[in-house]
Amino acid sequence: MANREALRQLHARLAARLQQARSEGVASARWLAVEAGGRRYLMPLAHAGEIFPWSGVLRVPYTRPWLLGVANLRGTLAAVVDFPGLLGQDVARTEMSLADASLLAFNPALEVHAALLVDRLLGLRGAQDFTGMQDAAADAPAYLGATYVDEAGDDWREIDLRHLAQDPGFLHIRA
């Protein structure tokens, strides 16, 4: 129970920092950092919406395996996407691992009622947090951005949620 309360507090702090970054135009915070399927990703703050704790989903039949179902997020029905599964990773999910997961909703300005399931929220990051960068391959999908390297040598892949929301593979959910 203490873990759930700590997770709620983390969500509240991150939500407050996201709102502050948006309203004040904080130049140093450019991305929301998350971990999903053992990999690290950077989501542009302008594309990220509200963060919700995992609360379960209503399964939708005859859809691709990465579409976990739909969830009610503050009165809006949103498709819940297992982000690593969408990228082709096979991630075993248990009720225990899902209890610590979060749903990252798309910014309402993107006009997509969807949320990505991520394993952990890792805070806000800016360009100053990285020591190197490699552009995405020319044949990579438009939503896969550059890969950044931090001081510890860890790779962080930028995901353009605006392009993801328009990607045919993302939009075609029927199995």
Side-chain angles (χ1 to χ4, degrees):
M1 197 60 153
N3 283 344
R4 287 187 89 74
E5 185 58 33
L7 186 61
R8 283 191 181 102
Q9 290 174 356
L10 173 65
H11 284 191
R13 285 193 312 272
L14 279 175
R17 287 185 66 194
L18 275 171
Q19 186 60 37
Q20 178 185 13
R22 284 190 189 118
S23 63
E24 294 177 6
V26 176
S28 64
R30 187 169 159 191
W31 299 287
L32 174 63
V34 301
E35 184 178 310
R39 296 182 184 163
R40 295 177 177 174
Y41 297 98
L42 301 168
M43 312 290 180
L45 287 177
H47 303 168
E50 196 168 348
I51 300 164
F52 299 90
W54 171 259
S55 61
V57 299
L58 178 62
R59 300 277 180 198
V60 179
Y62 310 113
T63 59
R64 297 194 186 230
W66 48 261
L67 183 72
L68 297 176
V70 294
N72 182 346
L73 304 178
R74 288 202 199 276
T76 299
L77 201 57
V80 177
V81 174
D82 184 3
F83 186 57
L86 175 67
L87 297 178
Q89 266 185 281
D90 187 24
V91 177
R93 300 277 183 205
T94 64
E95 287 300 318
M96 184 174 278
S97 69
L98 287 173
D100 294 332
S102 298
L103 299 177
L104 172 62
F106 284 63
N107 187 312
L110 298 177
E111 297 180 346
V112 142
H113 297 290
L116 301 178
L117 176 71
V118 296
D119 299 322
R120 289 186 339 154
L121 301 169
L122 300 174
L124 300 176
R125 299 288 190 278
Q128 73 280 358
D129 295 315
F130 301 100
T131 58
M133 181 198 84
Q134 180 179 354
D135 287 330
D139 60 344
Y143 61 84
L144 291 178
T147 299
Y148 293 83
V149 180
D150 64 17
E151 290 180 4
D154 294 324
D155 290 342
W156 296 78
R157 188 70 184 255
E158 184 176 22
I159 303 295
D160 186 318
L161 296 178
R162 181 176 41 88
H163 282 109
L164 179 61
Q166 299 168 354
D167 185 76
F170 179 79
L171 295 173
H172 298 293
I173 61 170
R174 188 172 48 167

